[in-house]
Amino acid sequence: MGVAGRWNRRTVLRRSALLLGGAALGSAATVESTWVADRRLPLAGGPASATLGNRHQDVGRGGVQVVWGVRTDEPLVALTFDDGPRPQWTPMVLDTLAEHRVPATFFLVGERARRHAPLVRDRMDGHEVGNHSWAHRDLARMDAATVYDDLRRSHDAITAATGSSPRLLRPPWGHLGGAVLYASARLDYRLVLWTLQMVESEFPHDPAGHARRIVADVRPGTIVLGHDVGDDRRLVALRGLPDMIDGLRARGYTFVTVSDLLRRAAGGGAAR
């Protein structure tokens, strides 16, 4: 009876040890399988990844700057316009800026720049062009190679249409992902977002009211986001553009392109 009891205890202990060991192995296997499963997700080179492959990273100067605005004591402001060019409104914006001698930065969609090249050809002197993707798709959902190809195609189309090579990128909707950072670094772009956005829908049929709102909200170093395409509500901002310019000049502001803002502003690159 004593021997049987000892063997029973020994059996129980051995089986317990096996169970514990199995549990530990199972836990490790779960961790391993999770890691393997994660590796199957589109991480390396996918939308979330800011690296590509296991070899030397081809990333231009080796870094990328992301800018929302700058800290400066100088009354400087940069007007920017996205999504063009389009025949309906881009000439209106260019005409207003020319009349008031105001430089601006246009983030162009490559496909539209190619299709409507005559709208901007020979009209970008004093202005700056940036890349806003090839067809205004969400770059943050694309893998690194696809983002690079998209931006490279757009870069070439914008250069051909305007005679200027873009050095700035604004991704559609301001969406960033690792792949966007990677492609931007490869192309030696600065990533430019915005400090203040025009809010046309808040001022239906009131261009002057919208202009007053923007003028009141601008601070030194502000980058203002506007659009030179869209539905009719955007015309509120564009029709109020002369009042906006006059109002900001009355407050002592000087209009500059984004690149000029970054160069001239003290402490350039700090987000506001």
Side-chain angles (χ1 to χ4, degrees):
M1 186 71 179
V3 173
R6 284 198 301 274
W7 276 108
N8 286 340
R9 286 195 298 274
R10 190 176 299 165
T11 301
V12 169
L13 290 172
R14 184 172 67 248
R15 289 177 176 175
S16 298
L18 288 172
L19 285 171
L20 289 172
L25 287 172
S27 177
T30 300
V31 171
E32 176 71 14
S33 64
T34 300
W35 183 81
V36 171
D38 284 347
R39 295 287 288 179
R40 293 195 185 104
L41 295 174
L43 295 177
S49 179
T51 59
L52 185 62
N54 298 319
R55 297 186 179 275
H56 183 80
Q57 300 297 309
D58 179 16
V59 286
R61 298 176 186 176
V64 61
Q65 181 185 22
V66 183
V67 178
W68 287 260
V70 300
R71 295 190 184 277
T72 178
D73 294 327
E74 293 185 72
L76 302 172
V77 60
L79 297 181
T80 68
F81 297 92
D82 286 10
D83 298 355
R86 280 280 180 85
Q88 298 92 325
W89 298 341
T90 302
M92 177 198 311
V93 176
L94 288 169
D95 289 346
T96 300
L97 296 175
E99 180 182 350
H100 292 267
R101 298 184 300 282
V102 169
T105 301
F106 289 83
F107 288 95
L108 304 180
V109 174
E111 185 274 333
R112 294 171 187 168
R114 185 180 69 177
R115 192 178 352 149
H116 303 300
L119 296 180
V120 291
R121 186 170 292 129
D122 302 324
R123 298 206 63 182
M124 285 295 159
D125 288 347
H127 299 302
E128 180 175 37
V129 294
N131 195 336
H132 199 44
S133 82
W134 170 250
H136 208 278
R137 293 170 56 209
D138 191 351
L139 300 179
R141 295 177 179 270
M142 302 178 188
D143 62 53
T146 303
V147 173
Y148 176 80
D149 290 344
D150 181 288
L151 294 178
R152 181 78 251 181
R153 187 181 185 190
S154 181
H155 181 102
D156 294 342
I158 292 167
T159 302
T162 67
S164 299
S165 296
R167 296 268 48 91
L168 308 176
L169 168 66
R170 176 174 287 161
W173 303 289
H175 289 183
L176 293 180
V180 178
L181 297 175
Y182 180 85
S184 299
R186 282 190 70 183
L187 290 162
D188 285 328
Y189 280 154
R190 279 174 164 165
L191 274 161
V192 177
L193 301 177
W194 57 88
T195 328
L196 180 63
Q197 181 172 355
M198 297 187 189
V199 285
E200 301 92 340
S201 61
E202 295 182 17
F203 294 85
H205 314 296
D206 187 8
H210 180 266
R212 286 193 298 271
R213 156 73 187 275
I214 299 301
V215 170
D217 284 352
V218 164
R219 302 290 181 270
T222 291
I223 296 173
V224 181
L225 166 63
H227 297 83
D228 57 333
V229 309
D231 55 46
D232 287 348
R233 67 188 172 89
R234 296 215 185 275
L235 289 173
V236 168
L238 301 186
R239 287 172 177 155
L241 193 55
D243 287 344
M244 197 182 303
I245 293 168
D246 291 341
L248 286 167
R249 279 185 169 152
R251 290 187 58 198
Y253 277 90
T254 297
F255 293 93
V256 292
T257 64
V258 168
S259 290
D260 284 340
L261 179 67
L262 299 178
R263 280 194 293 266
R264 294 174 55 175
R272 290 184 64 85

